[in-house]
């Protein structure tokens, strides 16, 4: 088992939640809780909260991430934000290809790949989301879907850049539904992702890449999920909106 070669990362995905005063209150509550964590702690917040989050977390162990990034440097892309715009205000991480972006905003593996490369080129750490639909799992093509996403999403991403990338395995049927993959299901796919990364790069590279599980992770199921040999952390939606719940997940990852 090579878990010690990689850092456990717990990343909150706030989605479209929290006004600025609410964000301030949650971050202030989170700071003393996160302080004890030995895993990496990231909060991915709406664009309007990024500067506030960066400011309030200065000098703490909490890192800030965005929830999306565009692949062009600038230009006529109304409503989009570039990687340089994120780095210039101190953002370090960015979620790319979340299933909600794929489902509601027409993101494809091609745009996920472009966004990932743009993020890496600007020095951001991408959290690239992959995962199967319920229908795909029922049809027994989960591994085909995941293998395809890994190939397409990381197309032309060098081994050095792959080491800076986090992969989040997020079965779409488990996101925001309260339904969690069992720890066996999570481990099966996370270890399959590591096999794909080994084939694409090498064992040495694959062993250093953080692979998260995401999908209704909560204080009750986190310890078991995070104890799996290939689950190196979590991408957390609902449970990242309450400091106490997020704190339990940080403890579980710090001990996992
Ligand atoms: C997510 O948004 O990435 C997620 C995993 O959400 P939840 O934890 O609410 O299922």
């Amino acid at each position: 088992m090579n878990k010690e070669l990689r850092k456990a990362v717990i990343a909150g995905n706030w989605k479209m939640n929290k006004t600025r005063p609410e964000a301030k209150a949650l971050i202030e509550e989170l700071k003393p809780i996160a302080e004890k964590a030995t895993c990496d702690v990231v909060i991915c917040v709406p664009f309007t909260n990024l500067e506030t989050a960066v400011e309030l977390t200065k000098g703490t162990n909490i890192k800030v991430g965005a929830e999306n990034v565009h692949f062009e440097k600038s230009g006529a892309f109304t409503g989009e934000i570039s990687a340089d715009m994120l780095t210039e205000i101190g953002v370090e991480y960015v979620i790319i290809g979340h299933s909600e972006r794929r489902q509601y905003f027409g993101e494809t593996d091609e745009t996920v790949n472009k966004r990932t490369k743009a993020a890496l080129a600007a020095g951001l750490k991408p959290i690239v989301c992959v995962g199967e639909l319920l229908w795909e799992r029922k049809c027994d093509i989960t591994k085909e879907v995941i293998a395809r996403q890994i190939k397409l999403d990381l197309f032309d991403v060098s081994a050095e850049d792959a080491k800076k990338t986090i992969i989040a395995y997020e079965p779409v049927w488990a996101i925001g539904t309260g339904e969690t993959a069992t720890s066996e299901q999570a481990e099966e796919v996370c270890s399959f992702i590591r096999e794909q990364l080994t084939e694409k790069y090498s064992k040495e590279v694959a062993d250093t890449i953080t692979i998260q599980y995401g999908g209704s992770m909560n204080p009750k199921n986190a310890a078991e999920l995070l104890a799996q040999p290939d689950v190196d952390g979590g991408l957390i939606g609902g449970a990242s909106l309450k400091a106490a719940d997020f704190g339990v997940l940080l403890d579980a990852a710090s001990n996992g």
Side-chain angles (χ1 to χ4, degrees):
M1 184 154 88
N2 292 313
K3 224 170 172 171
E4 64 284 354
L5 296 176
R6 40 196 186 257
K7 193 87 176 159
V9 182
I10 292 286
N13 173 16
W14 287 11
K15 311 195 188 196
M16 196 174 71
N17 291 298
K18 304 290 175 191
T19 60
R20 195 186 317 220
E22 289 168 347
K24 280 185 181 169
L26 178 53
I27 292 167
E28 290 303 344
E29 215 185 324
L30 208 52
K31 279 198 231 178
I33 293 175
E35 210 174 42
K36 327 183 267 303
T38 56
C39 62
D40 283 358
V41 185
V42 183
I43 50 170
C44 299
V45 306
F47 287 131
T48 51
N49 284 330
L50 285 171
E51 278 196 276
T52 305
V54 168
E55 211 43 53
L56 290 181
T57 56
K58 270 196 186 130
T60 76
N61 60 333
I62 303 174
K63 310 278 186 215
V64 176
E67 298 176 13
N68 195 16
V69 64
H70 197 260
F71 43 84
E72 293 294 348
K73 281 189 103 49
S74 62
F77 301 100
T78 303
E80 292 287 335
I81 306 281
S82 76
D84 290 342
M85 291 170 180
L86 296 176
T87 53
E88 81 171 354
I89 59 166
V91 172
E92 293 181 58
Y93 290 78
V94 61
I95 299 173
I96 297 177
H98 190 279
S99 64
E100 286 150 16
R101 300 290 321 167
R102 295 180 190 251
Q103 191 179 348
Y104 305 128
F105 303 100
E107 298 229 359
T108 63
D109 287 307
E110 190 182 358
T111 59
V112 171
N113 176 247
K114 285 179 167 180
R115 288 175 202 264
T116 301
K117 286 192 286 203
L120 285 162
L124 288 165
K125 295 189 186 80
I127 302 175
V128 178
C129 302
V130 298
E132 80 287 1
L133 305 170
L134 183 56
W135 168 240
E136 291 166 333
R137 178 164 278 269
K138 281 190 176 152
C139 293
D140 202 20
I141 60 164
T142 297
K143 288 187 177 170
E144 278 166 66
V145 171
I146 300 294
R148 184 184 149 87
Q149 288 176 334
I150 294 290
K151 266 203 188 102
L152 298 178
D153 296 352
L154 298 184
F155 173 71
D156 221 9
V157 171
S158 70
E160 271 324 293
D161 276 346
K163 287 184 187 174
K164 298 172 200 150
T165 302
I166 294 172
I167 308 290
Y169 167 54
E170 298 217 305
V172 180
W173 47 272
I175 297 176
T177 58
E179 198 165 329
T180 321
T182 63
S183 49
E184 291 78 20
Q185 286 169 326
E187 171 58 21
E188 189 187 11
V189 181
C190 289
S191 75
F192 177 74
I193 291 171
R194 207 171 307 283
E195 277 168 39
Q196 298 302 298
L197 296 170
T198 303
E199 243 175 63
K200 183 172 167 61
Y201 298 105
S202 66
K203 181 161 167 22
E204 184 261 321
V205 172
D207 278 346
T208 62
I209 296 178
T210 295
I211 302 177
Q212 298 174 319
Y213 166 78
S216 302
M217 197 188 274
N218 61 47
K220 288 206 179 99
N221 59 29
E224 198 184 331
L225 286 160
L226 292 165
Q228 300 307 308
D230 287 288
V231 178
D232 308 314
L235 183 54
I236 320 296
S240 70
L241 298 173
K242 289 196 189 125
D245 286 358
F246 199 58
V248 175
L249 272 47
L250 296 179
D251 285 346
S254 299
N255 301 322

